[in-house]
Amino acid sequence: MKILFIGSRLYDDIDYYVKRKGIESILTESNEEAINLDLPDQVFIVPRGMEGPTSIAISQNVDAIVPLIGIDPPLIQVAQMKEEVEKEYGIPVIAADVRAVELTSDKINTKKFYEEIDVATPPYQILNSPEDLTLEFPVVLKQGAGQGGKDIMVAHNLDDVGEYFEKFNQALCEKFIEGSEISIEVLGYDGEYVALPPIYKGETTLEGTHPLNKVKLGPCLIDGLDNNLIQRTAYKVARNLDSDGIFEMDFMYSHKDNQLYAIEVNTRPNGTRYLTTATCGINSLCELINMACGEFSLKNVFDNLEYYYSTEIPVGEYKGPEANEPIKSFDNNNFVVHGPEGYQRITIRAKSKKELEELVNDLT
């Protein structure tokens, strides 16, 4: 089996799994100084875009292509490449198609999509000027494109809205929901979808605290909220997107209204994947490889499900004990350290809440 991987930044997360399965690995990367270039069997430095990876995939006669891209801008190019390569060369590309990317990469399109499939989302309006506002404060102002909290502002009054419009000509204005932030991964391939356990990302704040700065927990355990509802809703969204790969969905639960709201969808690897793996034993990036190998199925996922309590804590610079090999896997570890130096996080898992507390104290 020969697989072409696009992008090196996430490759160390799956290198152990690629080697374990005896896969011949070829990687394309546009930055010759990128990390992890020493891990695959072959590396090709190509210009930005999908023309280079497509050419390498064809010339190397690969069996499948797995993009490892964790940012939004290239996703539409990947989707266009997927449709071309699958149609003209019959090479499976394990990624979302054009329709799914167009619906999820623009928050306004996503809002309309939720309404079409009857999934609750916070009340919103499109503002072309501060005077258009009809929602009550506080509100959340966003741009259609963007990730990681970029260009998002919690506005408390018209002056805040005016300040936002000093930078932008239009805004997606959404009712601020006070409640719990939730993330969930859904895996999908060839019409089969499975929603993994949801992750609790903390409570909303009027200060707009970034999720990376919050302690997260898995599985999500919120009084009054059934995790089955989150999973059913996430499954419904993925089924209607009708595409392949990883779908990471953000939800908000309003305690006051007892209402689960869908916020956004990402068709790429996401920041809570370590917690999901720690909580249930299913590594979404490894499942992309299983899809490429024809080994992904609901039965295989359900047969491999495990049950742990987990948490993820920002530590800045980790100074605790070293993990066992492979260090990015929970196979021989109860913790994984990840993230760039100075901004590291540690994800820890245990069979009980008490054991988890003890491990947190030992490792942090």
Side-chain angles (χ1 to χ4, degrees), residues 287-305:
E287 290 302 322
L288 294 180
I289 297 170
N290 289 340
M291 293 173 192
C293 295
E295 298 175 2
F296 174 82
S297 70
L298 301 187
K299 182 181 185 302
N300 288 344
V301 171
F302 290 137
D303 285 349
N304 290 310
L305 277 176

Side-chain angles (χ1 to χ4, degrees), residues 140-151:
V140 181
L141 302 174
K142 306 176 180 180
Q143 290 300 290
Q147 70 181 87
K150 184 176 183 293
D151 300 329

Side-chain angles (χ1 to χ4, degrees), residues 68-241:
L68 296 174
I69 296 174
I71 56 175
D72 289 342
L75 295 181
I76 190 62
Q77 294 180 351
V78 171
Q80 292 165 345
M81 179 268 290
K82 170 188 173 71
E83 297 191 353
E84 174 190 344
V85 168
E86 290 185 344
K87 179 180 179 180
E88 296 188 13
Y89 301 98
I91 303 173
V93 180
I94 314 304
D97 60 23
V98 170
R99 174 181 174 270
V101 173
E102 287 178 344
L103 286 173
T104 59
S105 61
D106 186 288
K107 296 179 178 64
I108 298 173
N109 288 343
T110 307
K111 284 285 194 181
K112 294 176 181 177
F113 172 65
Y114 287 146
E115 292 175 333
E116 290 173 3
I117 64 173
D118 195 28
V119 167
T121 188
Y124 74 99
Q125 61 180 126
I126 309 302
L127 296 184
N128 293 306
S129 73
E131 290 73 26
D132 294 341
L133 181 64
T134 59
L135 295 174
E136 294 184 4
F137 291 107
V139 295
V140 181
L141 302 174
K142 306 176 180 180
Q143 290 300 290
Q147 70 181 87
K150 184 176 183 293
D151 300 329
I152 294 179
M153 177 189 206
V154 179
H156 302 267
N157 50 53
L158 274 177
D159 288 341
D160 289 342
V161 179
E163 180 183 336
Y164 192 82
F165 269 83
E166 290 176 3
K167 299 180 181 178
F168 304 102
N169 296 322
Q170 188 182 72
L172 169 61
C173 180
E174 190 176 75
K175 177 183 176 182
F176 177 83
I177 303 298
E178 185 175 357
S180 303
E181 297 182 54
I182 302 158
S183 183
I184 183 171
E185 285 185 291
V186 181
L187 303 174
Y189 188 66
D190 197 23
E192 289 193 313
Y193 302 93
V194 56
L196 300 177
I199 301 302
Y200 172 72
K201 298 200 298 184
E203 299 299 296
T204 57
T205 65
L206 289 171
E207 293 76 27
T209 304
H210 195 283
L212 291 183
N213 297 322
K214 297 180 180 179
V215 174
K216 306 180 186 70
L217 299 168
C220 181
L221 298 172
I222 299 172
D223 288 342
L225 178 60
D226 184 351
N227 281 353
N228 288 326
L229 173 62
I230 306 171
Q231 290 176 301
R232 288 196 306 270
T233 307
Y235 172 86
K236 179 179 182 179
V237 172
R239 180 169 53 80
N240 279 279
L241 285 172

Side-chain angles (χ1 to χ4, degrees), residues 219-269:
C220 181
L221 298 172
I222 299 172
D223 288 342
L225 178 60
D226 184 351
N227 281 353
N228 288 326
L229 173 62
I230 306 171
Q231 290 176 301
R232 288 196 306 270
T233 307
Y235 172 86
K236 179 179 182 179
V237 172
R239 180 169 53 80
N240 279 279
L241 285 172
D242 190 25
S243 191
D244 299 333
I246 299 170
F247 305 91
E248 187 254 353
M249 305 183 196
D250 291 333
F251 289 90
M252 202 80 72
Y253 175 66
S254 169
H255 302 268
K256 178 182 177 182
D257 302 331
N258 188 27
Q259 176 66 58
L260 182 70
Y261 292 107
I263 304 299
E264 63 180 64
V265 189
N266 297 305
T267 56
R268 53 171 169 74

